[in-house]
Amino acid sequence: MSSTSGYTGAPAPEQLNLAELTVGRSAATAPDRDALVVVTDAGDPPDQAERWTFAELDDAVRSVAAGLLDHGLAPGDRLLIRLGNTSDYALLHFGAMAAGIVALPTSPQLTADEVRFLVEDSGALAVAASDALAVDLPPGVSRISPESVARWRAEASPAAYAITRADDPAFLVYTSGTTGRPKGVLHAHRSVWGRRPMHDAWLGLRPGDVLLHAGAFNWTYTLGVGLTDPWANAATALIYNGARDPGVWARLIERHRATIFAAVPGVYRQLLRSRSLETADLSSLRHGVTAGEALPAALLAQWRDVTGLELYEALGMSEVSTFVSSGPATPVRPGSPGRPQPGRCVTVLPVDGGVEPLPPGETGLLAVHRTDPGLMLGYWRRPDEEAQVMRGEWFVGGDVVEIDPDGYVTFHGRADDVMNAMGYRVSPLEVEDCLARHPSVAEVGVTDVEVRPGVRIIAAFVVPVDADNPDDVDPAALLAHAAEHLAAYKRPREIVYVDALPRTANSKLRRADLRRLIH
């Protein structure tokens, strides 16, 4: 377990601009190296992809920054970005921060009502949106079109990077709130400095690497691991925005000589099921990395067996990104996302309150010291919710974990995911990991359901391997498997076979929606 005295890494410089520290610095050191490669058709030769060198990207980002300022936005104003999966998304996100404007990345899948809520809640003065994604906006809020971005790139004189302090706001992301309304997580320019420990400890990034990310531009996982981290290391970001096909990632790795692949466990599961890895040339790939949800031990074993490579997991959150991981210097331990990265100050606090860290091996809430430069500035205009996650010098985000004497973290789920079955607290991840090892199970999600007032049981929602022959699926065999591997209070009492599990657009399991699948 890390020291409780605070972050021990190098302090962030007082003056810091996130876009300059990534795009600008690499443009100065490696101007002709590919910074961004966008592939629309995985079958095309690599020279037909959209390519940006660091010099070209730096010029475009600063030209977009100049255009945003000429549009009437000022440093500190919020710009909501609502675009499809194109390079314009990256140019606006980094161009806004280059100008000192606060970027607000959003998903194009949001409804018009959801967009209007974010505009009102954030106080955004402009929305970058294509015609197809435009919504009615309140008076005083302007729309910026892709055509405007193209014009700025062609005509605007590149602006100098804004002189911003490390603690100045850089970007605002919205995530689930305890009140049911999305809440804004405000990050500072120093957040890029706070990502430095993960470059070696998790990603194993080197200058000249080609990092293929399976996410879309609008996802913060992509904006961080897929763009910010490679650009901070003069490495190439490779993004695919074509038709989705589980096997496309293997073809992209081979064709574009990717050295690192980043995705959520669900994408790895689909990729392995496609069997495309078995025939692809993976000689360029050093390893894969994964985050977003827990990595099942069976999936890790299958990846290793098929590729002969390692898969490094990380644990993080919107408020502080990834801060626990395995990596090239931290051996993978199946069932654990790894150890706190060097410099991080991480501990476990009691679930019921208090600031005294628990000893190794005891279960509680994962906490990060407020001195970590990657920690958010706070929740946007939500002081009550912010107060709920701060305990003295600690940020407590709701992950239920234990840390063993070697520093390895065991993740038991979110505090609101941990099941209560007949008075026992049970991690759904433990039950899912057990059931996923049964040969008849393709995918599984577990939650607790109320069968009568005050009585909850564990239910498992299973996608069978052989969905075309449902009569061959035997719930009794699955329950017997659980009885063999789990204590009685951890076993599911009901098996529900389903065609698919509810997942987000980024393949994360929507555990709260499982209960709706009971007929």
Side-chain angles (χ1 to χ4, degrees):
M1 193 176 302
S2 296
S3 164
T4 58
S5 59
Y7 181 79
T8 59
E14 184 176 343
Q15 184 176 306
L16 172 63
N17 183 284
L18 190 155
E20 182 177 22
L21 192 64
T22 53
V23 177
R25 177 172 293 186
S26 290
T29 59
D32 298 326
R33 183 175 296 160
D34 282 340
L36 177 63
V37 178
V38 184
V39 180
T40 300
D41 188 335
D44 286 344
D47 60 4
Q48 292 186 19
E50 178 187 350
R51 290 180 178 273
W52 300 72
T53 66
F54 275 107
E56 292 167 338
L57 184 66
D58 175 71
D59 184 80
V61 163
R62 292 190 295 116
S63 295
V64 169
L68 291 170
L69 295 171
D70 288 343
H71 185 77
L73 294 175
D77 288 343
R78 274 74 64 203
L79 167 69
L80 188 147
I81 306 173
R82 176 176 167 78
L83 294 174
N85 196 28
T86 69
S87 54
D88 281 348
Y89 209 115
L91 296 180
L92 282 161
H93 182 71
F94 285 85
M97 293 185 291
I101 295 163
V102 179
L104 199 173
T106 67
S107 169
Q109 298 183 56
L110 296 180
T111 66
D113 285 345
E114 289 171 321
V115 172
R116 282 190 285 266
F117 167 77
L118 296 186
V119 169
E120 179 181 356
D121 190 75
S122 68
L125 294 182
V127 174
S130 62
D131 291 344
L133 293 171
V135 301
D136 292 334
L137 298 172
V141 179
S142 61
R143 180 168 78 93
I144 296 171
S145 68
E147 291 74 22
S148 295
V149 176
R151 186 177 68 254
W152 295 340
R153 285 170 43 200
E155 301 175 1
S157 298
Y161 285 101
I163 299 174
T164 50
R165 297 172 302 165
D167 283 332
D168 284 344
F171 62 95
L172 178 65
V173 295
Y174 274 77
T175 187
S176 299
T178 57
T179 64
R181 299 181 301 158
K183 61 178 181 286
V185 180
L186 185 63
H187 278 282
H189 284 270
R190 60 170 160 75
S191 65
V192 68
W193 195 267
R195 302 183 69 87
R196 286 159 57 99
M198 77 174 70
H199 295 162
D200 289 331
W202 176 34
L203 303 176
L205 261 174
R206 308 170 186 169
D209 267 334
V210 178
L211 192 153
L212 170 61
H213 200 293
F217 279 106
N218 67 80
W219 193 16
T220 52
Y221 184 13
T222 310
L223 291 170
V225 173
L227 301 180
T228 302
D229 296 330
W231 293 349
N233 289 273
T236 301
L238 175 61
I239 303 293
Y240 175 68
N241 66 356
R244 292 292 152 161
D245 165 12
V248 74
W249 310 113
R251 298 195 295 275
L252 289 167
I253 291 168
E254 175 178 342
R255 191 171 291 261
H256 293 270
R257 310 307 294 160
T259 56
I260 302 172
F261 178 51
V264 296
V267 169
Y268 282 101
R269 185 182 298 108
Q270 295 164 4
L271 176 57
L272 286 163
R273 194 176 298 156
S274 75
R275 305 183 71 88
S276 57
L277 289 168
E278 298 172 12
T279 56
D281 177 4
L282 304 178
S283 58
S284 65
L285 193 67
R286 289 202 307 277
H287 53 259
V289 297
T290 185
E293 61 182 85
L295 174 65
L299 182 59
L300 169 63
Q302 187 181 7
W303 166 266
R304 286 170 161 176
D305 182 60
V306 171
T307 68
L309 301 172
E310 200 56 272
L311 183 54
Y312 299 126
E313 184 179 1
L315 175 63
M317 58 192 73
S318 299
E319 292 87 347
V320 69
S321 193
T322 55
F323 52 94
V324 168
S325 64
S326 56
T330 301
V332 174
R333 184 175 292 180
S336 169
R339 298 185 293 206
Q341 296 158 356
R344 306 290 193 186
C345 180
V346 177
T347 195
V348 179
L349 297 181
V351 172
D352 297 331
V355 296
E356 187 65 30
L358 295 173
E362 291 199 19
T363 300
L365 295 176
L366 189 62
V368 181
H369 203 273
R370 65 165 70 233
T371 54
D372 195 305
L375 184 62
M376 66 175 183
L377 287 168
Y379 292 135
W380 179 258
R381 296 175 178 172
R382 300 287 181 85
D384 292 343
E385 291 195 52
E386 188 173 324
Q388 292 174 12
V389 298
M390 301 306 298
R391 292 192 198 174
E393 295 301 306
W394 298 101
F395 165 77
V396 184
D399 288 332
V400 180
V401 304
E402 62 181 272
I403 302 181
D404 71 14
D406 295 327
Y408 279 87
V409 174
T410 299
F411 177 56
H412 293 295
R414 296 285 299 170
D416 52 4
D417 273 349
V418 173
M419 301 178 293
N420 189 325
M422 292 187 270
Y424 292 95
R425 293 173 63 84
V426 180
S427 166
L429 301 174
E430 183 179 3
V431 183
E432 288 167 0
D433 185 67
C434 169
L435 298 179
R437 294 196 294 268
H438 192 275
S440 72
V441 175
E443 295 183 80
V444 59
V446 171
T447 190
D448 56 335
V449 297
E450 190 172 47
V451 292
R452 58 182 183 272
V455 177
R456 307 187 75 84
I457 64 169
I458 296 173
F461 299 79
V462 173
V463 179
V465 168
D466 191 359
D468 294 331
N469 297 291
D471 291 341
D472 294 340
V473 176
D474 184 7
L478 197 53
L479 291 173
H481 172 79
E484 182 180 353
H485 297 285
L486 295 172
Y489 67 88
K490 297 180 182 179
R491 300 173 199 162
R493 295 296 187 268
E494 184 171 357
I495 304 294
V496 181
Y497 287 102
V498 295
D499 294 329
L501 298 178
R503 294 187 179 275
T504 68
N506 294 314
S507 297
K508 293 179 67 174
L509 178 64
R510 297 202 310 266
R511 201 181 306 280
D513 290 349
L514 289 172
R515 297 182 184 94
R516 302 176 187 174
L517 301 180
I518 295 180
H519 302 294

